[in-house]
Amino acid sequence: MTQAKHQAGFVNIIGKPNVGKSTLMNILVGERLSIITSKAQTTRHRILGLTNSENYQIVFSDTPGMLKPQYELHKNMMSFVNISLEDADVILFVTDLYETDEEIEEIITKINNSGIPVILVINKIDLAKEGQLETVTEYWTSRVKASVVIPISAGEKFNTDKILQEILDRLPEHPAFYDKEELTDRSERFFASEIIREKIFNNYKKEIPYSSEVNIEEFYVKNKIIRIRATIYVERDSQKGIIIGDKGKAIKKVGIEAREELEKFFGKQVFLETFVKVESDWRKNKSKLKKFGYDPT
């Protein structure tokens, strides 16, 4: 009896900030692995999510939004994007009705010269005005060498199922890279920090979320309870005061929302302690960035 072929490969999701990459990744994997907020630049790391079946394994990679670096942190985030161009079997280039190629022309050139199959995904089409989708499609197909264009609404989960088939049409034959029971290569600590960081993005304005980083000091599981001790780092004393809030109300709200989300994510009762510390100019310091796990090399 001929053995059925097995496909496996890396599908890297690339695009500018806030075009819906993380929402799409979570839909394709079927689990909530990436931060989703209305603010741009929320994804800072490269996050792998696995979609498994008997005959294939797709290793999705959600990358930080492409941008013009302003800090060492931004440079580090862009290095994750560049690495994702090197190991991809398929690239999902995600854009929407409103973005242009401004500031990312260099990366688009790398994509076009890579020889990697590109699926161009145009998101948010539920918001399209008459004729807008055709104009946007013409714009992006003149800039990105894509083998297929798929208009979707990730928010409405419209047409996202077509992406899977287009990926499988381009995925090489290969044994699975990871255990089929796994959903991601990231640790529980990582997702705990991401969930807390998401609540910071949801509760604070302006520069505060972008100046914040979360480090999980303790993650201890006993029976049906997870005990987590987390430190929120900011760059200045004034930011520490804002994070804590009047009589601790702001940090308490973040803690409550994060604990509720953590309990849903892990399916266990969570005891969460949060502390706030200052780590001056951590976004601009290479050694401090390495301390927070921003070391893609």
Side-chain angles (χ1 to χ4, degrees), residues 168-182:
L168 291 174
D169 288 346
R170 293 161 178 79
L171 211 63
E173 288 192 39
H174 199 281
F177 291 95
Y178 296 90
D179 188 315
K180 287 285 188 85
E181 298 300 313
E182 298 295 325

Side-chain angles (χ1 to χ4, degrees), residues 113-173:
N113 293 334
S114 69
I116 301 167
V118 178
I119 298 173
L120 175 61
V121 178
I122 301 176
N123 192 19
K124 305 179 185 178
I125 63 166
D126 52 308
L127 305 176
K129 298 175 182 176
E130 187 175 351
Q132 187 178 8
L133 179 58
E134 290 77 7
T135 302
V136 170
T137 301
E138 184 179 345
Y139 174 88
W140 279 107
T141 52
S142 70
R143 285 156 175 80
V144 177
K145 293 180 182 177
S147 55
V148 65
V149 181
I150 306 177
I152 70 163
S153 169
E156 302 290 331
K157 295 186 180 179
F158 172 75
N159 218 25
T160 53
D161 54 343
K162 186 178 179 183
I163 296 173
L164 180 61
Q165 187 54 56
E166 293 291 346
I167 289 170
L168 291 174
D169 288 346
R170 293 161 178 79
L171 211 63
E173 288 192 39

Side-chain angles (χ1 to χ4, degrees), residues 32 194-204 253-254 257-258 261:
R32 188 157 176 241
E194 287 289 276
I195 287 169
I196 296 168
R197 197 162 64 83
E198 178 186 61
K199 301 312 172 187
I200 294 170
F201 266 88
N202 290 343
N203 281 280
Y204 299 94
K253 186 172 184 287
V254 166
E257 291 180 6
E261 191 70 38

Side-chain angles (χ1 to χ4, degrees), residues 41-101:
Q41 302 173 31
T42 50
T43 301
R44 290 177 178 169
H45 297 266
R46 187 182 180 195
I47 302 170
L48 298 189
L50 310 180
T51 296
N52 295 298
S53 83
E54 184 180 349
N55 298 320
Y56 65 80
Q57 180 179 79
I58 304 173
V59 185
F60 287 104
S61 174
D62 183 18
T63 59
M66 296 184 292
L67 47 78
K68 192 172 184 178
Q70 297 177 2
Y71 303 99
E72 283 297 328
L73 172 61
H74 289 165
K75 291 179 184 177
N76 201 284
M77 289 161 62
M78 286 306 93
S79 67
F80 285 118
V81 174
N82 289 322
I83 289 171
S84 73
L85 294 179
E86 296 172 7
D87 64 10
D89 293 295
V90 178
I91 291 174
L92 284 188
F93 187 97
V94 183
T95 187
D96 62 21
L97 299 173
Y98 314 104
E99 287 295 348
T100 68
D101 66 351

Side-chain angles (χ1 to χ4, degrees), residues 99-286:
E99 287 295 348
T100 68
D101 66 351
E102 185 180 359
E103 296 188 349
I104 61 168
E105 298 93 339
E106 184 179 336
I107 296 177
I108 288 177
T109 298
K110 287 182 181 180
I111 292 171
N112 289 338
N113 293 334
S114 69
I116 301 167
V118 178
I119 298 173
L120 175 61
V121 178
I122 301 176
N123 192 19
K124 305 179 185 178
I125 63 166
D126 52 308
L127 305 176
K129 298 175 182 176
E130 187 175 351
Q132 187 178 8
L133 179 58
E134 290 77 7
T135 302
V136 170
T137 301
E138 184 179 345
Y139 174 88
W140 279 107
T141 52
S142 70
R143 285 156 175 80
V144 177
K145 293 180 182 177
S147 55
V148 65
V149 181
I150 306 177
I152 70 163
S153 169
E156 302 290 331
K157 295 186 180 179
F158 172 75
N159 218 25
T160 53
D161 54 343
K162 186 178 179 183
I163 296 173
L164 180 61
Q165 187 54 56
E166 293 291 346
I167 289 170
L168 291 174
D169 288 346
R170 293 161 178 79
L171 211 63
E173 288 192 39
H174 199 281
F177 291 95
Y178 296 90
D179 188 315
K180 287 285 188 85
E181 298 300 313
E182 298 295 325
L183 283 173
T184 179
D185 66 330
R186 292 289 184 171
S187 67
E188 292 178 323
R189 282 175 176 256
F190 174 81
F191 287 107
S193 68
E194 287 289 276
I195 287 169
I196 296 168
R197 197 162 64 83
E198 178 186 61
K199 301 312 172 187
I200 294 170
F201 266 88
N202 290 343
N203 281 280
Y204 299 94
K205 298 177 180 179
K206 297 181 179 178
E207 191 66 13
I208 296 298
Y210 301 101
S211 301
S212 304
E213 185 57 71
V214 178
N215 192 52
I216 304 299
E217 314 289 347
E218 183 178 287
F219 190 102
Y220 179 66
V221 183
K222 186 175 182 181
N223 298 326
K224 295 183 179 180
I225 298 177
I226 303 176
R227 294 184 179 273
I228 301 173
R229 183 162 55 87
T231 300
I232 300 169
Y233 288 93
V234 290
E235 292 188 305
R236 297 188 298 277
D237 283 319
S238 59
Q239 294 171 343
K240 180 179 178 180
I242 294 170
I243 288 282
I244 294 171
D246 181 37
K247 298 179 181 179
K249 290 179 182 177
I251 190 67
K252 183 179 180 181
K253 186 172 184 287
V254 166
I256 291 170
E257 291 180 6
R259 179 182 54 77
E260 291 174 349
E261 191 70 38
L262 287 162
E263 289 182 339
K264 282 193 283 185
F265 188 87
F266 292 114
K268 294 181 180 179
Q269 184 179 346
V270 172
F271 178 78
L272 175 65
E273 290 183 288
T274 52
F275 303 89
V276 187
K277 293 183 180 179
V278 176
E279 189 73 71
S280 300
D281 294 327
W282 67 266
R283 289 184 294 173
K284 301 174 183 178
N285 186 296
K286 288 184 179 179

